[in-house]
Amino acid sequence: MKTETKKIVAKTGNEAAAYAMKQINPDVVAAYPITPSTEIIQIFSKYVADGEVDTEFIPVESEHSAISVCIGASTGGARVMTATSSQGLALMHEILYIASSFRLPIVMIVGNRALSGPINIHCDHSDTMGSRDSGWIQIYCENANEVYHTIINAVKISEKVNLPCMVMMDGFIVTHGMENVLILEDEEVREFLGKREPLYSILDLKNPITVGPLALYDYYMEHKRSQVDAILKSKKIISDVFEEYNRKFGLSIPSFIEEYFLDDAEIAVIAMSSASGTLKEAVDLLREKGERVGILRLKITRPFPYEILRKKLENLKVVGVMDRAETFSTMGGPVSIEVKAALYSLIKRPLIQSFVFGLGGREFSLEDAIKVFDILKKINKENKLEEEFIYIGLRE
Amino acid sequence: MKKILSLKELSERNTGLTSGHRACSGCAFPSIIKMVVASSDYPVVISNATGCLEVVSTIYPYSAWNVPWIHVAFENAAAVISGVESAYKVLKKKGLIPENEKINFIVIGGDGGTYDIGLQALSGAIERGHNFLYVLYDNQAYMNTGVQRSSATPFGANTTTSPVGKKMPGKIQHRKDIIEIIAAHEIPYVAQASPSHFGDLIKKVRRAFEIEGPKFIAVISPCVPGWGYNESETVELARLAVETCFWPLYEIDQGVYRVNYKPKEKLPVKEWLLKQDRFSHLKNREDLIEEIQKKVDEKWERLLRLDGQKIF
Ligand SMILES: Cc1ncc(C[n+]2csc(CCOP(=O)(O)OP(=O)(O)O)c2C)c(N)n1
């Protein structure tokens, strides 16, 4: 561990992401601009222009082509990255499934942004929630520092399990907010990652392979099942990689979840990304008043860490789940539905209240966070849920 | 200019596509692909768009390809090759691929995957200047999904989405001119070829491989079920398309137009049309045949005017 070489710098989420990319020095980057992640690629373009990386940068004509280029390059054995948001991710949707079924490591940084319509450039998670079943690993970061470190880990995880990986940060809140980021040395990053060892390569002329064939009812299902095996295997690899990283660099970057006063809590909130910061502040205030409240920050949603959730939430009385996306199922947001499913098999399980908040960048204030806990306390007292889901911060 | 290969020499080369593919008997594209791959003096890597060729050649767990081959989706074959070619470039730069190794990158797409849904990715890849040869096999409809019209489908053709009905005489629009669209990108080499004139086709492919950057060759690919003719007449139909000047053989090499073949006697387009079921309803529609003939004549005369001229 070379703690003495560590530097703290001020960076926005986008800058931190671009800086991680520079240190990773990927072989190929293909991208198309979209707010709020545009800057990542702008900054990276300058690194390319200044010769600070040896990356082949492919400024494509659409996100659909960006991910297609990534697939082509990754199939050729290259280390590949891209970034996008919202409509861009939606345009890639068709191809996301193909990337994961090819078992290709590709790291995509996503600045979370609402989907049209109405068109909106601000943060919510409807974009990445829309692609949660595409076979990619999905990691949601709380702040710029975590974005930086998680991207580096994502490259290693992705290449070890041969699955693509999305690293998320909240649009504008994190992409454009300046924060302290603790950075490593270039050599530390490169040594940690080593070289990519591809499963196969289309550029291997001695062993010509057919990639992306037609498989009908006689084989399709086996292909899907084997993808599930990879994602099952990824759980241990994800934990191991973060552990190795933290050990090596003396850090404590969480992998699947982060706990905040969860141990002795009676009531907890499951939150993701930047909103958990606001909720942690609310917890601090409530803890001062002696209330047993806590936070479980869910960082990885694919694979879904249901085993951890069962263990951590089993003894709680009431759990609120914060969703920054709609499902239109009339059952609330996507994460709340998955949390309910995860806990269903418990004999004794908490009451679960779904909250939808922050859509299209709607402010989530400290008062809102306190209100969430007030609602949960009332549920706890009355021992019953009244509404299937509750919108927080909605205009009256 | 590289040495011209004899048929004997070609027949001894790897054609990429082996036996065991499941293309319809009489399908033109297996021969087209084999001529293209055999024309390469270097190993090839192929990116293929969704369509008949992809479907018939790779039914898992079998593959009829003995060269590296990738299919990702319908509209992105050109973007995929951009990625493969970029990986090749950067890995070579980093010393992970031997300096002296040369690969010819090829994209193969049908007319739907080229004129329609894939046009954007193709235009983007060409504009960025990736080094690949795009081979369009033009069977003039979406054959894989059951003969729906594409923007390459000729005026008057009966397809399942431009059917002949009481009011409509088949497709009511003329074809999109893909060669001119690609040429407008000012790329080094664009050509139109036919499997019936295989010497010309091979020459064009070999010329294309000599050039660094994006190249494009459109090849007419008669389709037995889509066009409706006897499976033994594939080459004859391709030949008639050329002899009637419906499908002239020409190239735009470094901006210079060249008509590669002038029929001794330009046959009336009717001779090509009425050999196919998809145009059989035109038998009693002299007016429509005249309209098709007029369009063919205009295009042919334009080509003759442009022959020898530099357009960029
Ligand atoms: C996005 C998308 N839309 C539609 C399809 C269905 N589809 C598969 S192949 C095809 C037509 C292919 O036509 P063409 O490119 O002309 O090739 P051909 O089948 O004639 O060889 C269509 C519409 C698809 N695979 N992907």
Side-chain angles (χ1 to χ4, degrees), chain A residues 64 94, chain B residues 29 49-55 71 73-75 109-117 136-148 150 152 223:
Chain A
H64 195 283
E94 179 198 21
Chain B
F29 61 57
T50 310
C52 282
L53 170 61
E54 163 261 328
V55 164
H71 158 253
F74 192 14
E75 60 284 278
D111 47 293
T114 306
Y115 289 73
D116 296 337
I117 199 167
L136 153 71
Y137 65 95
D138 194 342
N139 54 25
Q140 308 186 336
Y142 301 159
M143 297 308 182
N144 180 48
T145 36
V147 201
Q148 293 83 32
S150 77
C223 167

Side-chain angles (χ1 to χ4, degrees), chain B residues 162-239:
Chain B
S162 62
V164 176
K166 290 197 185 88
K167 285 194 160 169
M168 299 283 204
K171 194 187 175 204
I172 53 172
Q173 301 88 2
H174 286 276
R175 288 161 54 77
K176 200 191 262 184
D177 194 334
I178 195 75
I179 298 285
E180 297 298 326
I181 293 168
I182 303 299
H185 291 72
E186 303 190 359
I187 65 168
Y189 191 78
V190 187
Q192 187 157 286
S194 165
S196 55
H197 295 64
F198 54 83
D200 174 76
L201 167 61
I202 290 160
K203 221 163 90 188
K204 283 174 173 163
V205 173
R206 287 178 65 72
R207 169 70 187 130
F209 283 144
E210 281 179 355
I211 303 166
E212 185 78 18
K215 289 85 60 175
F216 183 92
I217 299 180
V219 189
I220 192 167
S221 185
C223 167
V224 174
W227 295 14
Y229 61 85
N230 190 304
E231 63 196 33
S232 63
E233 291 177 335
T234 298
V235 176
E236 176 60 9
L237 273 155
R239 192 187 66 81

Side-chain angles (χ1 to χ4, degrees), chain B residues 6-56:
Chain B
S6 69
L7 277 182
K8 181 163 180 295
E9 283 169 303
L10 269 177
S11 71
E12 285 159 0
R13 289 179 156 212
N14 184 6
T15 57
L17 194 59
T18 67
S19 60
H21 65 72
R22 306 181 202 194
C24 302
S25 70
C27 176
F29 61 57
S31 336
I32 296 169
I33 302 314
K34 287 175 182 181
M35 285 189 252
V36 168
V37 174
S39 297
S40 174
D41 292 340
Y42 300 104
V44 301
V45 172
I46 295 175
S47 157
N48 203 151
T50 310
C52 282
L53 170 61
E54 163 261 328
V55 164
V56 302

